Amino acid sequence: MPELPEVETVARGLRPVMESRRIVTVELRRKSLRYPLPRDFAARLVNRGIRSVGRRAKYVLVNLDNGEALLIHLGMTGRLTVLPASGGQRNLGEFYNEEAATANPAGKHDHVVFGLDDGTRIVFTDPRRFGAMDIVPEGGEESHPRLKDLGPEPFGNGFSSAHLAGRFRGKKAPLKAALLDQGVVAGLGNIYVCEALFRSGLSPKRRAGSLARTASVEPRLDTLVRHIRDILEEAIIAGGSTLQDFAGADGSSGAYQQRFLVYDREGEPCTKCRKPIKRIVQSGRSTFYCPACQK
DNA sequence: CGGGACTCCTGCCAGC
DNA sequence: TGCTGGCAGGAGTCCC
């Protein structure tokens, strides 16, 4: 499931392929993904030069030479595959089942294909269709409905213990839910929230507001901020190195999954205290944590 | 308005 | 062996 590090990895992979190229064809195989695509989607992209490729939260932003930007969200199962003109392929993020994708090469779930002026094609595949695309008008990054309410980037100056304290103040929602809220901090998903809370020794069940009441909890928020940054950075590094090995069809992008300390480890011994990792459900999602270590 | 429940979608897998 | 139900979850919507 693509969270910030996976999306960052995809953006970095697209950069050398797309930057300073021109989009010459846009093939739409369905009218909508998660949401309907703009009626003039293809027309606004064709013949546009690509200035840069960036990321905001879990969105890839392809910045065009007219100031507009192509916005891509990979949802749960979205994939971008680069097909060079010379043949072969290179996957940019395989967040679904490797075997299933390999067993289904016919392109049943290939929804959008971009053609570049050097013959490269970029295929967007998304079996579950939780992904989305849109076009952000020039200067519209602050006002676009999908972007305007996003919280600060975890690596930016806007993300700090003071910011979290402000956002948590009076909040009754559990810490887990608060950190999944993209308006509090952008880019975290289920896996990295579980991991960051474990490293920080904070219970996912604790009320977010309990971390904002007094100055005495500020060090705990500092710790949380540091761990969120660390874990995202490690995942980006792991994803980046994975991507380099991804030229072949049999490459696996799951290398960093080995690093999870609590996620999907129900019943396994905690790496700190050896007591079993517990799984609970919060707002319909699995939470994995160590009841002994996380308070 | 905050917060929880529900919804979308498809593939996988455990269990019968 | 084949079917089925439950589960996966990002994020928007709906309702209390």
Side-chain angles (χ1 to χ4, degrees):
Chain A
M1 49 263 29
E3 303 183 26
L4 183 151
E6 292 76 28
V7 179
E8 178 64 29
T9 298
V10 169
R12 291 182 184 186
L14 288 175
R15 213 160 274 154
V17 175
M18 296 188 87
E19 281 183 357
S20 70
R21 298 252 68 93
R22 187 167 292 274
I23 299 171
V24 292
T25 57
V26 177
E27 184 186 339
L28 293 179
R29 301 194 178 164
R30 53 167 60 243
K31 289 181 185 128
S32 69
L33 299 171
R34 177 175 183 146
Y35 312 103
L37 291 158
R39 230 187 307 274
D40 54 357
F41 182 75
R44 281 163 80 178
L45 296 173
V46 168
N47 277 328
R48 290 266 71 89
I50 297 165
R51 198 175 276 163
S52 62
V53 179
R55 178 193 60 75
R56 173 76 173 109
K58 299 172 191 170
Y59 292 93
V60 174
L61 281 161
V62 180
N63 300 301
L64 306 171
D65 60 4
N66 63 347
E68 297 197 318
L70 165 64
L71 185 74
I72 303 174
H73 197 294
L74 298 173
M76 276 289 302
T77 56
R79 246 186 310 144
L80 290 165
T81 306
V82 175
L83 304 172
S86 54
Q89 72 174 54
R90 181 181 163 92
N91 283 357
L92 295 173
E94 175 65 72
F95 305 120
Y96 203 55
N97 183 286
E98 183 72 26
E99 287 74 26
T102 310
N104 184 22
K108 180 179 166 189
H109 301 297
D110 295 348
H111 305 311
V112 185
V113 182
F114 302 99
L116 306 184
D117 59 350
D118 64 348
T120 301
R121 283 179 301 148
I122 296 165
V123 184
F124 176 76
T125 310
D126 185 10
R128 228 170 281 182
R129 252 184 293 131
F130 278 19
M133 289 192 200
D134 198 2
I135 294 179
V136 183
E138 180 167 18
E141 288 208 23
E142 301 299 317
S143 56
H144 189 278
R146 305 277 169 262
L147 302 177
K148 65 182 171 65
D149 295 322
L150 290 171
E153 286 291 320
F155 295 121
N157 292 332
F159 183 57
S160 64
S161 55
H163 167 76
L164 281 184
R167 292 303 303 246
F168 286 174
R169 194 156 290 125
K171 224 177 177 27
K172 291 177 183 167
L175 197 46
K176 165 83 182 302
L179 290 173
L180 280 177
D181 183 343
Q182 300 298 296
V184 169
V185 54
L188 293 181
N190 203 38
I191 294 174
Y192 294 113
V193 168
C194 288
E195 295 296 312
L197 287 175
F198 174 71
R199 290 196 190 190
S200 306
L202 289 166
S203 170
K205 296 196 287 189
R206 171 197 269 268
R207 284 187 177 195
S210 73
L211 280 175
R213 258 184 240 127
T214 64
S216 66
V217 293
E218 186 109 342
R220 305 204 70 178
L221 286 178
D222 279 328
T223 302
L224 179 60
V225 165
R226 180 164 47 83
H227 282 304
I228 286 172
R229 285 181 170 151
D230 283 353
I231 203 160
L232 294 176
E233 191 178 352
E234 289 166 23
I236 289 170
I237 291 168
S241 60
T242 301
L243 190 69
Q244 288 181 356
D245 300 333
F246 222 94
D250 64 338
S252 165
S253 68
Y256 52 84
Q257 288 175 12
Q258 312 289 328
R259 310 163 77 94
F260 298 153
L261 299 180
V262 288
Y263 186 81
D264 209 18
R265 290 188 178 275
E266 181 183 15
E268 292 180 36
C270 167
T271 53
K272 291 181 192 166
C273 74
R274 313 312 294 173
K275 294 191 179 118
I277 298 299
K278 195 172 172 191
R279 173 184 174 273
I280 58 171
V281 174
Q282 291 179 291
S283 42
R285 301 277 176 284
S286 287
T287 297
F288 299 89
Y289 74 112
C290 174
C293 295
Q294 295 176 251
K295 300 292 180 192

XYZ file of all heavy atoms in Angstrom, chain A residues 41-120:
603
model
N -9.399 15.802 -20.023
C -8.164 15.285 -19.417
C -7.056 15.100 -20.446
O -5.967 15.679 -20.335
C -8.468 13.951 -18.720
C -7.307 13.309 -18.017
C -6.846 13.808 -16.811
C -6.675 12.198 -18.561
C -5.782 13.214 -16.139
C -5.604 11.593 -17.893
C -5.167 12.106 -16.687
N -7.323 14.294 -21.474
C -6.292 13.994 -22.474
C -5.865 15.249 -23.226
O -4.673 15.502 -23.417
C -6.791 12.929 -23.442
N -6.836 16.060 -23.600
C -6.532 17.245 -24.409
C -5.616 18.216 -23.671
O -4.786 18.893 -24.279
C -7.835 17.954 -24.794
N -5.763 18.261 -22.352
C -4.938 19.198 -21.578
C -3.530 18.682 -21.349
O -2.656 19.416 -20.903
C -5.608 19.516 -20.235
C -6.737 20.534 -20.388
C -7.632 20.541 -19.194
N -7.083 21.299 -18.062
C -7.739 21.458 -16.914
N -8.948 20.903 -16.754
N -7.200 22.141 -15.933
N -3.314 17.409 -21.638
C -1.990 16.827 -21.427
C -1.203 16.673 -22.731
O 0.024 16.833 -22.756
C -2.124 15.443 -20.761
C -2.721 15.450 -19.355
C -2.963 14.030 -18.870
C -1.789 16.180 -18.381
N -1.914 16.368 -23.802
C -1.231 16.109 -25.074
C -0.507 17.371 -25.555
O -1.054 18.473 -25.490
C -2.245 15.612 -26.131
C -1.623 15.625 -27.518
C -2.705 14.204 -25.786
N 0.725 17.164 -25.994
C 1.607 18.227 -26.490
C 2.157 19.132 -25.395
O 2.762 20.162 -25.682
C 0.917 19.083 -27.555
C 1.007 18.424 -28.911
O 1.993 17.732 -29.203
N -0.024 18.591 -29.729
N 1.963 18.734 -24.162
C 2.549 19.498 -23.058
C 3.937 18.947 -22.734
O 4.149 17.730 -22.731
C 1.667 19.394 -21.806
C 0.333 20.132 -21.904
C 0.433 21.539 -21.317
N 1.235 22.442 -22.136
C 0.736 23.172 -23.123
N -0.532 23.117 -23.425
N 1.522 23.994 -23.810
N 4.848 19.865 -22.492
C 6.161 19.469 -22.011
C 6.112 19.222 -20.518
O 5.266 19.782 -19.821
N 7.008 18.360 -20.042
C 7.050 18.050 -18.612
C 8.230 18.791 -17.985
O 9.381 18.584 -18.347
C 7.184 16.533 -18.382
C 5.942 15.819 -18.937
C 7.352 16.229 -16.893
C 6.115 14.321 -19.100
N 7.890 19.646 -17.057
C 8.912 20.495 -16.431
C 9.606 19.753 -15.290
O 10.819 19.798 -15.150
C 8.223 21.760 -15.913
C 9.140 22.900 -15.627
C 8.336 24.134 -15.234
N 7.851 24.896 -16.391
C 6.888 25.800 -16.319
N 6.297 26.052 -15.175
N 6.525 26.461 -17.385
N 8.813 19.066 -14.473
C 9.388 18.370 -13.324
C 8.377 17.366 -12.784
O 7.198 17.423 -13.130
C 9.779 19.370 -12.226
O 8.632 20.050 -11.775
N 8.865 16.475 -11.959
C 7.991 15.504 -11.290
C 8.209 15.638 -9.789
O 9.345 15.579 -9.315
C 8.298 14.053 -11.727
C 7.381 13.068 -11.002
C 8.148 13.894 -13.236
N 7.134 15.846 -9.069
C 7.254 16.037 -7.624
C 6.262 15.174 -6.871
O 5.611 14.283 -7.435
N 6.169 15.446 -5.593
C 5.260 14.704 -4.732
C 4.699 15.622 -3.666
O 5.408 16.497 -3.159
C 5.999 13.539 -4.042
C 5.110 12.728 -3.080
C 5.933 11.805 -2.199
N 6.899 12.537 -1.380
C 6.600 13.256 -0.309
N 5.364 13.337 0.111
N 7.540 13.902 0.348
N 3.429 15.446 -3.360
C 2.817 16.118 -2.213
C 1.970 15.070 -1.519
O 1.092 14.485 -2.141
C 1.964 17.294 -2.685
C 1.142 17.952 -1.581
C 2.009 18.835 -0.688
N 1.202 19.598 0.254
C 1.152 19.360 1.572
N 1.882 18.401 2.097
N 0.402 20.097 2.357
N 2.259 14.837 -0.223
C 1.568 13.781 0.521
C 1.700 12.477 -0.260
O 2.803 12.080 -0.607
C 0.108 14.158 0.780
N 0.614 11.815 -0.567
C 0.700 10.564 -1.327
C 0.381 10.780 -2.795
O 0.021 9.839 -3.499
C -0.246 9.515 -0.721
C 0.075 9.157 0.729
C -0.984 8.273 1.346
C -0.781 8.159 2.855
N -1.915 7.496 3.515
N 0.495 12.002 -3.257
C 0.225 12.318 -4.653
C 1.522 12.526 -5.427
O 2.452 13.181 -4.948
C -0.596 13.596 -4.777
C -2.017 13.479 -4.269
C -2.328 13.826 -2.968
C -3.036 13.026 -5.098
C -3.630 13.723 -2.489
C -4.342 12.918 -4.633
C -4.630 13.265 -3.336
O -5.910 13.153 -2.865
N 1.554 11.997 -6.634
C 2.600 12.353 -7.594
C 2.097 13.556 -8.376
O 0.936 13.591 -8.793
C 2.889 11.187 -8.566
C 3.867 11.620 -9.656
C 3.445 9.987 -7.810
N 2.958 14.542 -8.556
C 2.608 15.735 -9.327
C 3.540 15.843 -10.524
O 4.761 15.977 -10.364
C 2.735 16.982 -8.455
C 1.578 17.254 -7.490
C 2.007 18.208 -6.387
C 0.380 17.823 -8.246
N 2.970 15.770 -11.714
C 3.753 15.947 -12.928
C 3.512 17.380 -13.400
O 2.433 17.716 -13.891
C 3.328 14.927 -14.012
C 4.152 15.129 -15.274
C 3.474 13.499 -13.487
N 4.530 18.220 -13.217
C 4.375 19.647 -13.503
C 4.626 19.932 -14.979
O 5.668 19.584 -15.522
C 5.338 20.443 -12.616
C 5.053 20.216 -11.141
O 3.948 20.480 -10.665
N 6.030 19.689 -10.408
N 3.658 20.584 -15.596
C 3.684 20.796 -17.040
C 4.181 22.197 -17.389
O 4.203 23.088 -16.533
C 2.274 20.574 -17.607
C 1.651 19.218 -17.239
C 0.193 19.167 -17.656
C 2.449 18.075 -17.862
N 4.524 22.362 -18.669
C 5.144 23.624 -19.082
C 4.151 24.787 -19.184
O 4.552 25.916 -19.448
C 5.911 23.436 -20.401
C 4.993 22.980 -21.534
O 3.771 22.875 -21.317
O 5.511 22.724 -22.640
N 2.877 24.514 -18.972
C 1.906 25.624 -18.965
C 1.463 25.969 -17.551
O 0.496 26.696 -17.348
C 0.686 25.258 -19.822
C -0.067 24.058 -19.273
O 0.438 23.353 -18.401
N -1.255 23.827 -19.773
N 2.159 25.401 -16.568
C 1.829 25.726 -15.181
C 0.817 24.779 -14.556
O 0.633 24.770 -13.350
N 0.151 23.996 -15.385
C -0.769 23.005 -14.831
C 0.028 21.779 -14.371
O 1.218 21.642 -14.671
C -1.822 22.597 -15.874
C -2.712 23.772 -16.291
C -3.998 23.317 -16.979
O -3.952 22.387 -17.810
O -5.038 23.920 -16.690
N -0.647 20.904 -13.648
C 0.035 19.700 -13.163
C -0.900 18.504 -13.233
O -2.100 18.618 -12.944
C 0.519 19.907 -11.730
N -0.331 17.387 -13.622
C -1.061 16.123 -13.590
C -0.916 15.546 -12.193
O 0.200 15.396 -11.679
C -0.479 15.154 -14.631
C -0.869 13.675 -14.518
C -2.367 13.478 -14.726
C -0.065 12.842 -15.525
N -2.049 15.246 -11.574
C -2.081 14.733 -10.208
C -2.412 13.246 -10.256
O -3.399 12.854 -10.863
C -3.163 15.491 -9.430
C -3.338 15.247 -7.943
C -2.217 15.908 -7.162
C -4.673 15.826 -7.480
N -1.575 12.443 -9.626
C -1.807 10.996 -9.643
C -1.799 10.467 -8.216
O -0.863 10.714 -7.460
C -0.711 10.252 -10.443
C -0.618 10.775 -11.869
C -0.988 8.736 -10.449
C 0.542 10.179 -12.673
N -2.852 9.748 -7.851
C -2.866 9.025 -6.576
C -2.932 7.542 -6.877
O -3.753 7.102 -7.679
C -4.065 9.445 -5.725
C -3.922 9.056 -4.274
N -3.907 7.747 -3.861
C -3.758 9.805 -3.161
C -3.755 7.713 -2.541
N -3.653 8.940 -2.092
N -2.077 6.766 -6.242
C -2.000 5.337 -6.558
C -3.024 4.513 -5.791
O -3.150 3.306 -6.030
C -0.594 4.817 -6.246
C 0.531 5.467 -7.055
C 1.887 5.010 -6.556
C 0.388 5.167 -8.536
N -3.750 5.151 -4.892
C -4.737 4.406 -4.118
C -4.072 3.265 -3.373
O -3.011 3.429 -2.782
N -4.689 2.148 -3.390
C -4.158 0.974 -2.704
C -3.266 0.124 -3.589
O -2.274 -0.441 -3.160
C -5.330 0.090 -2.241
C -5.916 0.502 -0.948
S -4.762 0.127 0.338
C -4.614 -1.639 0.052
N -3.672 -0.012 -4.824
C -3.057 -1.020 -5.691
C -2.530 -0.429 -6.991
O -2.268 -1.163 -7.942
C -4.088 -2.122 -6.029
O -5.241 -1.503 -6.617
C -4.496 -2.894 -4.793
N -2.388 0.893 -7.016
C -1.929 1.537 -8.245
C -0.465 1.264 -8.534
O 0.346 1.132 -7.622
N -0.134 1.167 -9.798
C 1.220 0.874 -10.260
C 1.496 1.706 -11.494
O 0.604 1.921 -12.308
C 1.290 -0.594 -10.701
C 2.153 -1.487 -9.891
C 2.245 -2.867 -10.524
N 0.968 -3.449 -10.863
C 0.759 -4.199 -11.950
N 1.736 -4.417 -12.780
N -0.432 -4.722 -12.176
N 2.726 2.137 -11.663
C 3.119 2.779 -12.910
C 4.246 1.958 -13.507
O 5.233 1.675 -12.845
C 3.574 4.218 -12.660
C 2.450 5.187 -12.272
C 3.025 6.467 -11.700
C 1.574 5.495 -13.480
N 4.067 1.559 -14.742
C 5.081 0.761 -15.418
C 5.624 1.560 -16.588
O 4.851 2.077 -17.397
C 4.481 -0.560 -15.932
O 3.851 -1.227 -14.839
C 5.568 -1.459 -16.509
N 6.945 1.671 -16.640
C 7.586 2.387 -17.743
C 7.977 1.386 -18.817
O 8.686 0.416 -18.542
C 8.838 3.140 -17.243
C 9.577 3.774 -18.415
C 8.442 4.189 -16.218
N 7.483 1.620 -20.005
C 7.834 0.765 -21.149
C 8.708 1.585 -22.091
O 8.200 2.428 -22.838
C 6.564 0.301 -21.880
C 5.519 -0.438 -21.042
C 4.249 -0.663 -21.852
C 6.070 -1.772 -20.559
N 10.020 1.372 -22.045
C 10.900 2.138 -22.926
C 10.638 1.793 -24.388
O 10.186 0.687 -24.695
C 12.306 1.672 -22.514
C 12.137 0.973 -21.205
C 10.750 0.426 -21.207
N 10.925 2.759 -25.258
C 10.716 2.532 -26.694
C 11.533 1.344 -27.177
O 11.144 0.637 -28.104
C 11.100 3.779 -27.473
N 12.666 1.120 -26.517
C 13.561 0.045 -26.939
C 13.106 -1.326 -26.474
O 13.757 -2.321 -26.746
C 14.962 0.317 -26.383
O 14.880 0.506 -24.979
N 12.009 -1.386 -25.757
C 11.520 -2.666 -25.259
C 11.916 -2.887 -23.814
O 12.662 -2.100 -23.231
N 11.425 -3.945 -23.233
C 11.655 -4.197 -21.813
C 10.706 -3.356 -20.991
O 9.915 -2.588 -21.529
N 10.778 -3.531 -19.705
C 9.912 -2.724 -18.857
C 10.536 -2.532 -17.491
O 11.463 -3.199 -17.088
C 8.537 -3.362 -18.706
C 8.544 -4.615 -17.826
C 7.123 -5.106 -17.596
O 6.378 -5.330 -18.521
N 6.770 -5.272 -16.344
N 10.014 -1.557 -16.834
C 10.544 -1.205 -15.528
C 9.376 -0.771 -14.665
O 8.670 0.176 -15.000
C 11.530 -0.047 -15.709
C 12.197 0.425 -14.447
C 13.112 1.599 -14.811
N 13.456 2.340 -13.623
C 14.546 2.105 -12.893
N 15.378 1.180 -13.238
N 14.794 2.825 -11.826
N 9.182 -1.489 -13.611
C 8.046 -1.168 -12.747
C 8.428 -0.113 -11.725
O 9.490 -0.177 -11.123
C 7.578 -2.410 -11.992
C 6.765 -3.333 -12.875
O 6.514 -3.014 -14.029
N 6.382 -4.459 -12.347
N 7.558 0.817 -11.516
C 7.787 1.850 -10.517
C 6.819 1.632 -9.371
O 5.757 2.213 -9.313
C 7.582 3.226 -11.130
C 8.595 3.558 -12.215
C 8.235 4.855 -12.881
C 9.988 3.615 -11.635
N 7.187 0.744 -8.502
C 6.334 0.519 -7.354
C 5.366 -0.602 -7.630
O 4.419 -0.455 -8.394
N 5.615 -1.715 -7.022
C 4.719 -2.858 -7.112
C 4.133 -3.038 -5.729
O 4.765 -3.598 -4.850
C 5.517 -4.089 -7.540
C 4.728 -5.367 -7.561
C 3.643 -5.335 -8.597
O 3.971 -5.404 -9.787
O 2.476 -5.218 -8.208
N 2.953 -2.504 -5.525
C 2.411 -2.491 -4.176
C 1.323 -3.522 -4.009
O 0.560 -3.489 -3.084
C 1.883 -1.101 -3.829
C 2.941 -0.087 -4.018
C 2.772 0.939 -4.896
C 4.140 -0.210 -3.336
C 3.767 1.873 -5.080
C 5.139 0.705 -3.513
C 4.952 1.749 -4.392
N 1.257 -4.397 -4.988
C 0.241 -5.398 -4.879
C 0.931 -6.743 -4.911
O 2.096 -6.874 -4.605
C -0.771 -5.234 -6.021
C -2.085 -5.835 -5.674
C -2.754 -5.456 -4.520
C -2.646 -6.807 -6.485
C -3.963 -6.019 -4.188
C -3.858 -7.361 -6.160
C -4.501 -6.974 -5.009
O -5.690 -7.526 -4.685
N 0.196 -7.766 -5.233
C 0.778 -9.105 -5.237
C 1.593 -9.332 -6.496
O 1.078 -9.278 -7.603
C -0.343 -10.133 -5.132
C 0.201 -11.537 -5.062
O 0.646 -12.056 -6.067
N 0.185 -12.119 -3.886
N 2.856 -9.584 -6.315
C 3.775 -9.722 -7.443
C 3.326 -10.819 -8.405
O 3.275 -10.623 -9.621
C 5.175 -10.045 -6.903
C 6.251 -10.137 -7.964
C 6.617 -8.777 -8.525
O 6.437 -7.774 -7.812
O 7.052 -8.731 -9.680
N 2.983 -11.963 -7.839
C 2.594 -13.090 -8.689
C 1.333 -12.770 -9.484
O 1.214 -13.081 -10.664
C 2.369 -14.365 -7.862
C 3.633 -15.009 -7.350
C 4.240 -14.232 -6.188
O 3.491 -13.523 -5.481
O 5.463 -14.296 -6.002
N 0.395 -12.122 -8.800
C -0.864 -11.800 -9.475
C -0.621 -10.867 -10.653
O -1.177 -11.036 -11.738
C -1.843 -11.170 -8.494
N 0.244 -9.898 -10.420
C 0.519 -8.942 -11.484
C 1.241 -9.627 -12.649
O 0.969 -9.352 -13.818
C 1.363 -7.796 -10.940
N 2.135 -10.510 -12.298
C 2.869 -11.234 -13.333
C 1.950 -12.185 -14.090
O 2.058 -12.359 -15.295
C 4.022 -12.036 -12.696
O 4.763 -11.161 -11.853
C 4.933 -12.605 -13.755
N 1.011 -12.769 -13.337
C 0.103 -13.724 -13.953
C -0.956 -13.024 -14.793
O -1.681 -13.653 -15.544
C -0.564 -14.578 -12.880
N -1.040 -11.718 -14.646
C -2.082 -10.981 -15.354
C -1.473 -9.862 -16.193
O -1.729 -8.695 -15.980
C -3.064 -10.404 -14.336
C -4.223 -9.705 -15.016
O -4.532 -9.972 -16.178
N -4.844 -8.788 -14.295
N -0.644 -10.236 -17.141
C 0.074 -9.227 -17.905
C -0.750 -8.650 -19.046
O -0.354 -7.720 -19.712
C 1.262 -10.001 -18.450
C 0.734 -11.395 -18.615
C -0.359 -11.586 -17.603
N -1.940 -9.210 -19.233
C -2.739 -8.831 -20.398
C -3.228 -7.390 -20.321
O -3.687 -6.836 -21.295
C -3.929 -9.781 -20.546
N -3.109 -6.804 -19.145
C -3.482 -5.413 -19.041
C -4.953 -5.198 -18.760
O -5.508 -4.158 -19.091
N -5.568 -6.153 -18.134
C -6.982 -6.035 -17.776
C -7.243 -4.786 -16.936
O -8.280 -4.157 -17.050
C -7.389 -7.292 -16.994
C -8.831 -7.347 -16.544
C -9.082 -8.656 -15.812
C -10.408 -8.621 -15.052
N -10.543 -9.797 -14.174
N -6.269 -4.460 -16.098
C -6.459 -3.310 -15.215
C -5.582 -2.125 -15.594
O -5.327 -1.254 -14.780
C -6.200 -3.723 -13.770
C -7.102 -4.830 -13.303
N -8.469 -4.687 -13.217
C -6.845 -6.102 -12.933
C -9.013 -5.821 -12.799
N -8.041 -6.693 -12.623
N -5.101 -2.142 -16.819
C -4.370 -0.974 -17.319
C -5.388 0.079 -17.723
O -6.135 -0.114 -18.670
C -3.519 -1.358 -18.541
C -2.417 -2.342 -18.186
O -2.181 -2.547 -16.981
O -1.800 -2.892 -19.101
N -5.417 1.194 -17.000
C -6.491 2.153 -17.230
C -6.069 3.371 -18.037
O -6.863 3.954 -18.760
C -7.065 2.614 -15.887
C -7.519 1.481 -15.016
N -8.332 0.469 -15.479
C -7.256 1.181 -13.721
C -8.559 -0.398 -14.498
N -7.913 0.017 -13.432
N -4.822 3.786 -17.876
C -4.345 4.981 -18.580
C -2.946 4.704 -19.111
O -2.114 4.131 -18.397
C -4.303 6.214 -17.645
C -3.918 7.472 -18.426
C -5.645 6.421 -16.947
N -2.693 5.102 -20.351
C -1.349 4.953 -20.938
C -0.910 6.311 -21.482
O -1.600 6.906 -22.311
C -1.332 3.904 -22.075
C 0.089 3.742 -22.611
C -1.877 2.554 -21.591
N 0.243 6.779 -20.987
C 0.822 8.020 -21.485
C 1.943 7.685 -22.459
O 2.794 6.845 -22.154
C 1.408 8.851 -20.340
C 0.409 9.197 -19.273
C 0.344 8.455 -18.100
C -0.478 10.267 -19.448
C -0.584 8.778 -17.107
C -1.403 10.581 -18.456
C -1.458 9.836 -17.284
N 1.950 8.340 -23.605
C 3.037 8.171 -24.567
C 3.887 9.426 -24.607
O 3.366 10.540 -24.699
N 5.214 9.257 -24.507
C 6.117 10.409 -24.532
C 6.780 10.544 -25.902
O 6.739 9.620 -26.724
C 7.193 10.256 -23.439
C 6.663 10.022 -22.011
C 7.825 9.987 -21.018
C 5.654 11.105 -21.617
N 7.408 11.685 -26.127
C 7.938 11.974 -27.471
C 9.148 11.125 -27.849
O 9.546 11.110 -29.005
C 8.264 13.470 -27.609
C 9.280 13.932 -26.579
O 9.589 13.163 -25.644
O 9.769 15.062 -26.695
N 9.729 10.422 -26.879
C 10.843 9.534 -27.230
C 10.378 8.087 -27.379
O 11.188 7.172 -27.467
C 11.951 9.615 -26.175
C 11.476 9.108 -24.813
O 10.252 8.909 -24.640
O 12.325 8.921 -23.930
N 9.061 7.901 -27.384
C 8.531 6.555 -27.588
C 8.272 5.793 -26.304
O 7.680 4.716 -26.320
N 8.707 6.355 -25.173
C 8.438 5.708 -23.888
C 6.939 5.743 -23.604
O 6.265 6.727 -23.886
C 9.164 6.467 -22.760
O 10.556 6.467 -23.039
C 8.915 5.796 -21.414
